[in-house]
Amino acid sequence: MEYDCLVMPSPVGELTLVARGAALSAILWENDKPNRVRLGTMRVDDSCAVLQDAARQLGEYFAGTRQQFDVPLDFAGTPFQQEVWRALLTIPYGQTRSYGEIARQIGRPAAVRAVGAANGKNPISILAPCHRVIGATGELTGFAGGLHAKVILLALEGIALSSDRDALKTGHARRRAVQIDTAQGCLF
């Protein structure tokens, strides 16, 4: 199968938007691992309507004027992965969930690691907001776009970054804290 693609600049680096037919199939990061998302042959098509619409909506998101997307999505993955990715779509703008919360949401409370693996294979980052998934204690965890991009996306949504461990116990408040180890100068 052939895919259409469009490359757009963004505050988190160059993004490659990929469509199959009339639906968005992937958003690839500038330094994405080659086999993280398996796609067929891609051709650049700046006139593809779904890619233009996705680029416009992403631009609005980065400008702070859009909180929800309405681009048709085409997830290609296992049934379990698709279940996890659909759960990602339910996380509201400006909120986070843990891997355990996602596992419980899909009715598989013991599948926390499998949820993490599926999250890492999410082909449609940002629109299916895997950046909103954090560790159970509030720590930032791996992200296909890199932790720096995850911090930018969370901050864009008003999710405060904090070194205060007690702030992490506030639940799903709009500005839920994400933990930074400022003494070490790194995320954990």
Side-chain angles (χ1 to χ4, degrees):
M1 166 136 297
E2 192 168 274
Y3 293 82
D4 295 320
C5 69
L6 170 88
V7 178
M8 70 173 282
S10 83
V12 291
E14 200 170 75
L15 300 173
T16 301
L17 312 182
V18 182
R20 181 173 63 179
L24 189 68
S25 297
I27 296 177
L28 305 176
W29 299 92
E30 191 169 345
N31 296 313
D32 220 329
K33 292 179 182 174
N35 290 323
R36 186 181 70 81
V37 177
R38 295 176 190 230
L39 300 166
T41 305
M42 288 194 285
R43 65 179 177 163
V44 175
D45 185 355
D46 294 339
S47 66
C48 175
V50 71
L51 293 177
Q52 287 182 344
D53 192 32
R56 178 186 57 77
Q57 289 187 34
L58 280 165
E60 293 167 356
Y61 169 80
F62 290 124
T65 60
R66 176 175 287 275
Q67 294 184 0
Q68 294 181 323
F69 299 96
D70 60 9
V71 175
L73 305 178
D74 177 28
F75 286 113
T78 68
F80 178 80
Q81 288 172 327
Q82 290 185 29
E83 192 173 13
V84 170
W85 300 334
R86 281 191 303 275
L88 296 177
L89 295 171
T90 69
I91 305 171
Y93 180 94
Q95 294 185 21
T96 59
R97 298 290 185 269
S98 70
Y99 296 99
E101 289 170 316
I102 297 295
R104 286 188 295 279
Q105 179 180 338
I106 65 170
R108 297 175 184 228
V112 175
R113 289 185 190 268
V115 165
N119 200 56
K121 294 279 189 180
N122 173 19
I124 310 176
S125 298
I126 306 172
L127 273 68
C130 51
H131 62 279
R132 296 179 190 153
V133 182
I134 60 176
T137 60
E139 76 275 9
L140 293 183
T141 56
F143 185 62
L147 288 181
H148 178 72
K150 189 170 191 167
V151 169
I152 291 170
L153 294 171
L154 293 172
L156 176 76
E157 295 187 19
I159 299 171
L161 300 175
S162 171
S163 61
D164 180 0
R165 292 179 190 267
D166 293 331
L168 298 171
K169 298 177 184 172
T170 62
H172 300 296
R174 174 151 165 64
R175 295 189 179 272
R176 180 171 177 171
V178 177
Q179 195 166 357
I180 292 186
D181 180 353
T182 53
Q184 298 292 327
C186 61
L187 302 170
F188 70 99

